[in-house]
Amino acid sequence: MKAAICPEPGRLEIINRPIPGSPPKGWARLAVSHVGICGTDYHIFEGKHPYLEYPRVMGHEISATVVEPGEGVSLTPGTPVIVNPYISCGTCVACLKGKPNCCTAIRVLGVHTDGAFCEEILMPEENLYPAGDLSREAAAAVEFLAVGAHAVRRSLAPAGSLALVIGAGPIGLGTALFSRIAGHEVTLLDASAERLDMAADRLGFAQGILAGDGALDAVLEVTGGDGFDVVFDATGFGGSMEKSFAFVAHGGCLVFVSVVKDDIRFSDPEFHKREMMLVGSRNATRQDFEHVAASIRAGHVPVEELITHRTTLDDVVDDLPRWARERAGLIKAVIKVSR
């Protein structure tokens, strides 16, 4: 089969490799349909991912079709599926608490093991959710949207909350969409006026704050001097994460959606006087995937406005490096692999 591989930072190439063998018990062989290109994939290509070994086949935002079910698998050949790319052990402390998204031995497709920039993959049935009437492109968008949906669920913020989402990239926009679906009044904050304008025009987020020296004053103005009930930082930038503490109202919540390798420092007196809740959010669970799929079906998530760029498996070796350099107008790019 054909695969796009990153043999080393800064280089992609198309190779031929064996088709996966028959799936083991409880697994299925899948024909990959569409794959979204994530910020993680750009970081892998650029050599900025801290926990990755090359060569690597990237890709973890996946829609696919069942080709061959293994023993005990109830999904039949031809079934379109949404793929949850987080393979968990099932026996660790997190898995036993129903939190496989933060399994102590988690393997994420395209990061810890080869992913779906290829024609076929093997996956456990428990990671496959029937796509039903979702388009193949929409099904490939579920994973990145589920990350934001999970963060919103983790916040415990009730309807009517004033919410600030920092970072208007794909994960931030997904978080903003599901914050709005949860009944929050959403404001975006980003360093790019172009991204704020795009979020307003394409997704209806009219309230935007430009990052910089005047951001705190703008936050206080928007919130009547109180700060936001819930703040989601989806930047993956340590400096932004440290500044985000100041944007939270007394009694509010700060959710770190992205992760950085840096230490995060903050003023303990400011943290305590607010009695803030600080929450980490990692990956997503089946509940979040199903919430996203239902929200797309209900018309609450305009996937067609999120997918701005398209390519094929053959062309991704040229397109991904270019999009890594030229981000203007880019929200989400999707690779068409097969039907």
Side-chain angles (χ1 to χ4, degrees), residues 45-131:
F45 172 75
E46 294 166 336
K48 296 179 180 178
H49 198 287
Y51 310 119
L52 184 125
E53 295 182 359
Y54 298 88
R56 178 62 70 222
V57 175
M58 300 180 286
H60 62 270
E61 302 176 1
I62 312 159
S63 66
T65 302
V66 175
V67 174
E68 180 185 358
E71 180 185 349
V73 172
S74 61
L75 296 168
T76 57
T79 303
V81 292
I82 301 160
V83 178
N84 178 336
Y86 321 128
I87 302 175
S88 58
C89 71
T91 59
C92 74
V93 61
C95 289
L96 294 176
K97 290 178 179 177
K99 295 174 67 68
N101 57 301
C102 57
C103 167
T104 61
I106 198 166
R107 291 184 298 143
V108 180
L109 257 64
V111 180
H112 305 102
T113 186
D114 280 346
F117 283 14
C118 60
E119 293 178 306
E120 293 193 3
I121 58 173
L122 298 177
M123 285 297 292
E125 182 181 24
E126 64 191 21
N127 288 69
L128 306 177
Y129 314 141

Side-chain angles (χ1 to χ4, degrees), residues 163-174:
L164 177 69
V165 177
I166 307 173
I171 297 299
L173 293 175

Side-chain angles (χ1 to χ4, degrees), residues 2 17 32 35 60 67 77 156 168 171 173-174 187 234-235 239 276 281 297 315:
K2 189 183 300 181
R17 55 166 44 186
V32 177
V35 189
H60 62 270
V67 174
L156 304 178
I171 297 299
L173 293 175
T187 299
T235 63
M276 285 172 56
S281 182
R297 291 189 183 98
D315 292 337

Side-chain angles (χ1 to χ4, degrees), residues 189 207-210 213-224 228:
L189 188 153
Q207 188 73 45
I209 296 173
L210 193 62
D213 293 338
L216 180 56
D217 290 339
V219 163
L220 296 176
E221 181 178 352
V222 168
T223 61
F228 286 90

